[in-house]
Amino acid sequence: MADVIFYEKTGCAGNARQKALLIAAGHQVESRDLRQHFWSNLRLLEFLADLPVAQWFNPSAPAIKSGAIVPDEFDQRTALAVLRNNPLLIRRPLLQVGDERRVGFDAATIDAWIGLPDFPSGDLEACRRKHSSGRVYYVQSAGGGAFPCRFDDDPAHARRCLP
């Protein structure tokens, strides 16, 4: 079995699912937070060089989904600068086994590379956000009344509910 260095966005449910599949296949996984790593052009190219520039980007990133960033419009130099400045735009995970490096989690490709015998069908790179209606909390106003405040399960959104 392989020793896999797994660059992820810590806390990402999709990356957690991918790591679980690797571990279930018997691989040793060493997780590293993509955001805590210094990315030089050369280091990024070790993972990305075999792909077209547009495939270097995380299609689930809000800036890409909204159209604020259009990866097809970038040349290699510009793309590298954008990715270095915002690592969450990098397609995940970045995988390293020995001296070989890959980007993304295409199960068939990983199976052929290091072995991944049992994996679910479908897109294993897709974001696995919960699509819930969120929670409703009641916040007391200065006048003593209460108003409803809805936010997603992410605790960071709770700050919107502060009076």
Side-chain angles (χ1 to χ4, degrees), residues 5 9 15 21 35 40 48 54 58 60 65-66 69 73 88 94 96-98 103 110-112 132 141 152-153:
I5 299 174
K9 175 186 171 191
N15 287 156
L21 290 170
R35 300 167 292 185
S40 68
L48 306 172
N58 174 5
S60 296
K65 288 174 86 172
S66 73
I69 293 178
E73 295 178 356
L88 290 180
L94 298 179
Q96 180 177 344
V97 175
V103 62
I110 291 173
D111 183 32
S132 67
S141 69
D152 297 326
D153 288 336

Side-chain angles (χ1 to χ4, degrees), residues 3 8-9 18 26 48 58 73 79 90 101-102 116 120 123 156-157:
D3 291 328
E8 67 175 329
K9 175 186 171 191
Q18 295 159 352
L48 306 172
N58 174 5
E73 295 178 356
I90 300 170
R101 294 165 182 88
R102 307 271 175 106
L116 193 63
D123 185 1
H157 294 141

Side-chain angles (χ1 to χ4, degrees), residues 92-114:
R92 300 187 304 264
L94 298 179
L95 303 165
Q96 180 177 344
V97 175
D99 291 332
E100 194 167 347
R101 294 165 182 88
R102 307 271 175 106
V103 62
F105 203 90
D106 178 84
T109 301
I110 291 173
D111 183 32
W113 177 32
I114 59 174

Side-chain angles (χ1 to χ4, degrees), residues 64-88:
I64 293 172
K65 288 174 86 172
S66 73
I69 293 178
V70 181
D72 287 326
E73 295 178 356
F74 292 134
D75 61 19
Q76 185 179 42
R77 178 180 288 170
T78 305
L80 288 168
V82 169
L83 293 173
R84 278 193 334 268
N85 289 327
N86 189 347
L88 290 180

